[in-house]
Amino acid sequence: MMNITPYTRMDTLTQEQWDFANQCFEELVSGLTDRIMKTLLDLRGHGMGSQVDRLEHCLQTATRAFRDGADEEMVVCALLHDIG
């Protein structure tokens, strides 16, 4: 069963509620990088009729953004744009 801290305003949270919220956040982000990498690598082999699979397409897109001088956030967005 999921524990829920009911609130409508963050400035009214008790320390216990803050601690619980932080614990939930830590659980959410724990392993996030591994989950993103798995999702990205799962694009391997999905060509959709193209000469390159979706993984290669994402890598090419990120490489082109990087070579064009895009900032780090844009390069990451280019890399991950097809994982959904």
Side-chain angles (χ1 to χ4, degrees):
M1 180 175 190
M2 183 187 319
N3 290 324
I4 298 175
T5 299
Y7 64 91
T8 56
R9 292 177 33 179
M10 293 182 80
D11 64 347
T12 63
L13 291 176
T14 66
Q15 185 62 50
E16 181 179 307
Q17 290 170 319
W18 272 111
D19 292 344
F20 178 72
N22 285 330
Q23 176 187 346
C24 292
F25 179 76
E26 290 297 323
E27 290 172 8
L28 175 69
V29 299
S30 173
L32 180 61
T33 302
D34 291 336
R35 290 193 306 273
I36 291 171
M37 285 301 298
K38 180 190 179 314
T39 303
L40 184 63
L41 292 175
D42 283 347
L43 298 176
R44 193 180 307 147
H46 295 275
M48 296 174 30
S50 179
Q51 294 181 13
V52 298
D53 63 21
R54 290 173 56 211
L55 174 60
E56 184 67 23
H57 164 71
C58 288
L59 292 168
Q60 289 176 351
T61 303
T63 299
R64 289 179 180 180
F66 177 79
R67 288 181 180 165
D68 194 42
D71 63 23
E72 183 176 313
E73 181 178 359
M74 183 61 73
V75 173
V76 171
C77 288
L79 177 64
L80 302 178
H81 79 276
D82 269 351
I83 68 170

